[in-house]
Amino acid sequence: MESSSTQGQVIKCKAAVAWEANKPLDICEIEVAPPQKGEIRVRVVANALCHTDIYTLDGHDPEGLFPCILGHEATAIVESVGEGVTSVQVGDTVIPCYTPQCMERDCVFCMSQKTNLCPKIRATQGKGVMPDGTTRFSKDGKPIYHFMGCSTFSEYTVIAEISAAKINPSADLNKVCMLGCGVSTGWGAAMVNPEVKPGTTVAVWGLGAVGLSVIQAAKLQGAGKIYGIDVNTDKFDHAKKLGADECMNPLEQDSKDWLLGKEKWGINYTYDCTGNVAVMRTALEAAHRGFGESCIIGVAAAGKEIQTRPFQLVTGRQWKGTAFGGWKSREDVPKLVNKVIVGELNIDDFITHTFESLEDVNQSIDILHSGKCLRAVVKISQQEQRPSLKVKILSSLKYHGGVLKTVSHWSSVNNCEMKFMIYLPNETIKEQRGKPYPALYFLAGLTSNHENAPIKSHFGSFAKKHGIAMIFPDTSPRGIEIEGIRENWWFGEGAGYYVDATNEKWSKHFNMYSYITKELPELVSDHFHVDKNKSSITGFSMGGMGALALYLRNPGLYQSVSAFSPISHPTNSEWGKNAFEHYLGSVDAGKSYDPSLLIAEYDGPKTKILFDQGSSDKFLQNLQPETFLNAAHKAGIDVQYNFREGYSHDYFYVASFIENHIEFHSRYLNA
């Protein structure tokens, strides 16, 4: 684990201290003590200002304690860790979360999929102290309270390990800081608790950042009609941009009457994002008779109570609330961040003001009070961002109970844009909780691209059954202008052979070996719920050769390997000779990628290899399966060889036996 030069030492830094209610924050130097057992100290990068911070500063919070350091929507870098911390280390990028997640087996809340309300540190968090009952902040010897377990209006802060959501470091930390509270809450209120169903109606009272994020998520969920309600008509255009169909001002007409005039029996899902108890009642009574759900998100002032006639509930309406949108912080927030990175969720529209330093925090508060601000982001320190691979989701389709995505990204090893398809056995973030999926990589053959195998192999129901993610890379770089790259079908574009080219003409772009074994797995595990340490590999034709070669060259990298009609001995094949001469300069250099030669020197785990071959394959002369089988026998490696009578060299053949291959790999991946 990396260590910090300030590990175990008190840090002096600037913070915005609220000494008392209804007073400007004091930007001053404080002392931040080292993290204790189960705690981490972080350097705050950016902080988004939330109405909850102002609610406390204005003296409305009955639990509000002064002096304190406010702030709870932030991004940060781990500076040092306390005793027993294992889930994060120095240098990791995190979002502090006011809703912790201890993940302990005796926590009925963390173990339940019905709630995210982990009570592990709630008692001390509510008292403004760390789990041991003391604070980590002080000035001139005077203790300063913590706020919501975060206190991110400071250059450095200390939080509990169980409050730290470790996120992808390539994210824009000046934007995803908002996912620590408000925007995430609104998204979750439509995606998780409750979950808006396609074709339904939705009404939202209060078109601030939370209300607008409810609208945005409801639209993504496929809501048929969305209504926005607010006394500030300036917000209507923004609401419509994010998905609202109609908006109205309740000062001009009763909102319940207006909605019931639009939808006779009421609205399927209604949301209060105002904190006004009268609005909460209106939202409930506008919910659909028999099965409407009304969700309270807004925080009411101290001492306020809700009321309605019991008949409203007797006739089937459900009244519920949501905290942090139902998200489990350490599991779900990293996935939300990744959805922002790949373009599936947009947060740019919520940032209306940006301030360049902690010195500007009082100005950001004034802007929020003005009613013209959704979220103001205050930059607190410099972001040390990892270079972005420009990952983008091009399409996302529901498939066999999961989701099949087409992804584009910049490949630094191939120096071009690359595409791949990925199948995840479950579609939603909530469904993707728990252990990440093991991965099966499918390498395609000559002339194929990233689409051939996922479209033609009919793999979906089998990957779903065994809970396996499947990744389908392209067979080569594309769009590169190199002389001779498209002259024939057995070399160049569409024929990368899963090697790293050494010939200068090809070496800048044709590095499919490093792409498949290193770059792509890192990208997949960083951006999707996939375990990079638990993967297997298969392939067809040229891809079968690649699968065998990559497995044999990297003992232990893959749990298992299989192949459909691989080019088994490419240094003795016209296809392979041609490719190796061009990419590597000689056929002799190609021996390091030849499965029939590699297996003789293989010294890794001797797991069984699954090998399928069609008897009517017109390319048998170039494939030479018997050479590989003989070499495997001499090496003492068990090969399950299936000679499929009458099958040819096509995806009809692959589709006929893909179930066998996925089941084979499942024994190793799910062991």
Side-chain angles (χ1 to χ4, degrees):
M1 179 182 292
E2 182 183 351
S3 62
S4 166
S5 61
T6 49
Q7 178 91 30
Q9 301 177 22
V10 172
I11 288 179
K12 291 184 177 181
C13 69
K14 285 184 179 181
V17 180
W19 293 106
E20 56 183 298
N22 292 305
K23 296 290 185 181
L25 301 180
D26 179 22
I27 314 302
C28 60
E29 184 178 83
I30 65 164
E31 293 184 336
V32 184
Q36 299 303 303
K37 184 177 181 180
E39 300 172 2
I40 64 174
R41 186 165 59 187
V42 300
R43 173 175 60 82
V44 179
V45 174
N47 199 113
L49 186 63
C50 177
H51 282 281
T52 305
D53 300 312
I54 310 308
Y55 176 77
T56 298
L57 183 61
D58 289 348
H60 300 309
D61 184 358
E63 290 188 348
L65 299 167
F66 298 93
C68 72
I69 296 174
L70 299 170
H72 65 288
E73 284 190 3
T75 44
I77 309 297
V78 178
E79 172 271 336
S80 59
V81 302
E83 178 188 344
V85 171
T86 58
S87 63
V88 296
Q89 60 185 8
V90 173
D92 282 347
T93 306
V94 299
I95 288 181
C97 295
Y98 73 91
T99 300
Q101 185 185 5
C102 73
M103 297 183 174
E104 294 178 5
R105 290 198 170 274
D106 62 351
C107 178
V108 296
F109 294 87
C110 284
M111 291 299 103
S112 171
Q113 292 300 309
K114 296 179 179 180
T115 182
N116 61 341
L117 297 178
C118 174
K120 185 74 173 182
I121 58 174
R122 178 66 185 90
T124 51
Q125 184 171 304
K127 295 176 181 177
V129 293
M130 296 303 290
D132 68 353
T134 64
T135 76
R136 303 291 168 264
F137 302 125
S138 63
K139 180 173 174 58
D140 301 328
K142 182 177 181 178
I144 300 172
Y145 287 114
H146 295 253
F147 177 70
M148 296 179 71
C150 297
S151 292
T152 50
F153 280 165
S154 175
E155 292 177 329
Y156 287 86
T157 188
V158 177
I159 63 175
E161 176 188 14
I162 64 173
S163 298
K166 181 180 174 180
I167 66 167
N168 190 330
S170 70
D172 187 334
L173 304 190
N174 293 323
K175 294 180 180 180
V176 299
C177 55
M178 291 187 293
L179 300 187
C181 182
V183 173
S184 293
T185 298
W187 285 346
M191 294 177 171
V192 178
N193 184 27
E195 182 182 354
V196 171
K197 301 299 183 183
T200 55
T201 53
V202 173
V204 179
W205 282 259
L207 302 180
V210 175
L212 291 173
S213 58
V214 173
I215 288 173
Q216 181 189 35
K219 186 70 173 179
L220 291 172
Q221 291 288 104
K225 193 82 170 182
I226 302 174
Y227 301 97
I229 300 120
D230 201 292
V231 297
N232 185 348
T233 58
D234 291 342
K235 296 180 178 180
F236 290 176
D237 286 344
H238 213 132
K240 290 178 180 177
K241 179 181 178 182
L242 289 173
D245 297 289
E246 297 184 51
C247 296
M248 66 89 65
N249 184 345
L251 297 179
E252 298 176 355
Q253 183 182 354
D254 182 83
S255 57
K256 182 177 74 172
D257 291 345
W258 181 77
L259 288 168
L260 293 178
K262 301 283 184 179
E263 308 288 342
K264 180 179 179 181
W265 295 108
I267 306 298
N268 296 115
Y269 303 95
T270 64
Y271 296 89
D272 166 68
C273 303
T274 69
N276 184 309
V277 294
V279 173
M280 295 176 190
R281 177 172 184 167
T282 299
L284 172 73
E285 295 177 0
H288 201 292
R289 180 184 177 95
F291 49 77
E293 297 181 49
S294 187
C295 182
I296 296 172
I297 306 175
V299 178
K304 294 291 184 180
E305 296 181 350
I306 56 174
Q307 61 178 334
T308 190
R309 292 184 300 123
F311 185 74
Q312 296 292 333
L313 302 178
V314 170
T315 49
R317 296 172 185 85
Q318 298 179 54
W319 213 350
K320 57 179 61 177
T322 187
F324 197 43
W327 300 119
K328 290 184 179 287
S329 54
R330 295 163 75 194
E331 280 186 291
D332 295 342
V333 169
K335 299 185 185 76
L336 289 173
V337 170
N338 282 335
K339 283 187 173 291
V340 170
I341 292 173
V342 302
E344 290 188 301
L345 289 172
N346 173 38
I347 59 174
D348 291 358
D349 289 331
F350 296 98
I351 303 174
T352 53
H353 298 78
T354 302
F355 297 89
E356 296 301 319
S357 89
L358 186 60
E359 303 283 348
D360 300 324
V361 66
N362 285 305
Q363 188 179 348
S364 73
I365 291 171
D366 292 339
I367 288 291
L368 196 65
H369 273 305
S370 73
K372 298 179 180 179
C373 173
L374 292 178
R375 276 295 185 269
V377 172
V378 179
K379 298 178 183 178
I380 295 179
S381 67
Q382 290 296 313
Q383 174 179 0
E384 299 171 0
Q385 185 174 333
R386 189 176 70 177
S388 172
L389 295 175
K390 301 177 183 177
V391 182
K392 185 178 181 181
I393 303 296
L394 300 180
S395 68
S396 186
L397 302 171
K398 193 161 186 175
Y399 180 62
H400 282 283
V403 60
L404 182 63
K405 299 175 183 288
T406 302
V407 186
S408 72
H409 71 98
W410 176 260
S411 168
S412 58
V413 299
N414 288 324
N415 289 288
C416 67
E417 288 286 331
M418 296 288 292
K419 293 179 183 177
F420 65 93
M421 295 187 81
I422 179 170
Y423 172 77
L424 301 170
N426 289 300
E427 181 180 14
T428 69
I429 291 177
K430 184 178 179 181
E431 290 173 323
Q432 292 174 12
R433 288 173 179 163
K435 291 182 180 179
Y437 304 122
L440 176 58
Y441 286 79
F442 190 110
L443 307 186
L446 291 167
T447 75
S448 296
N449 60 21
H450 62 288
E451 294 181 320
N452 291 69
I455 291 174
K456 298 177 180 179
S457 69
H458 301 287
F459 73 94
S461 63
F462 313 118
K464 171 67 177 179
K465 174 183 176 182
H466 294 287
I468 294 173
M470 289 194 65
I471 297 96
F472 303 90
D474 204 342
T475 51
S476 77
R478 298 195 183 259
I480 308 301
E481 295 304 322
I482 301 176
E483 183 182 357
I485 197 171
R486 302 179 190 91
E487 286 186 355
N488 57 56
W489 58 268
W490 59 86
F491 176 76
E493 192 169 86
Y497 278 84
Y498 307 102
V499 304
D500 280 350
T502 55
N503 186 321
E504 185 178 358
K505 180 178 179 179
W506 304 95
S507 62
K508 181 180 178 181
H509 300 291
F510 277 71
N511 297 295
M512 292 298 293
Y513 174 80
S514 291
Y515 176 69
I516 300 296
T517 58
K518 297 175 183 177
E519 186 178 54
L520 184 58
E522 289 286 342
L523 182 147
V524 167
S525 65
D526 280 351
H527 295 85
F528 302 98
H529 192 55
V530 174
D531 189 346
K532 71 177 178 182
N533 296 315
K534 213 163 190 183
S535 60
S536 292
I537 193 163
T538 186
F540 173 39
S541 191
M542 178 187 71
M545 180 210 87
L548 293 171
L550 270 55
Y551 175 84
L552 295 168
R553 282 174 60 108
N554 298 276
L557 180 62
Y558 301 103
Q559 269 63 51
S560 53
V561 64
S562 71
F564 293 90
S565 306
I567 306 173
S568 297
H569 190 24
T571 55
N572 194 39
S573 157
E574 290 306 313
W575 297 341
K577 289 178 180 179
N578 180 61
F580 294 149
E581 286 173 353
H582 282 80
Y583 290 139
L584 308 175
S586 69
V587 174
D588 191 60
K591 291 179 179 178
S592 61
Y593 294 97
D594 189 319
S596 293
L597 302 177
L598 287 169
I599 200 164
E601 302 173 357
Y602 178 72
D603 61 357
K606 293 190 175 182
T607 56
K608 182 182 290 187
I609 294 173
L610 177 60
F611 190 124
D612 260 73
Q613 176 62 57
S615 69
S616 297
D617 193 323
K618 62 182 178 181
F619 300 120
L620 266 176
Q621 184 178 353
N622 267 309
L623 301 179
Q624 303 175 53
E626 66 285 346
T627 306
F628 180 81
L629 296 173
N630 290 334
H633 179 72
K634 290 179 181 178
I637 297 176
D638 186 13
V639 178
Q640 180 182 327
Y641 181 59
N642 299 314
F643 195 59
R644 305 294 188 179
E645 188 66 36
Y647 283 92
S648 185
H649 196 89
D650 52 41
Y651 275 100
F652 296 109
Y653 149 66
V654 172
S656 298
F657 302 105
I658 190 71
E659 177 181 9
N660 298 19
H661 283 247
I662 293 175
E663 183 178 357
F664 169 81
H665 290 293
S666 175
R667 296 175 209 156
Y668 297 92
L669 292 172
N670 291 318

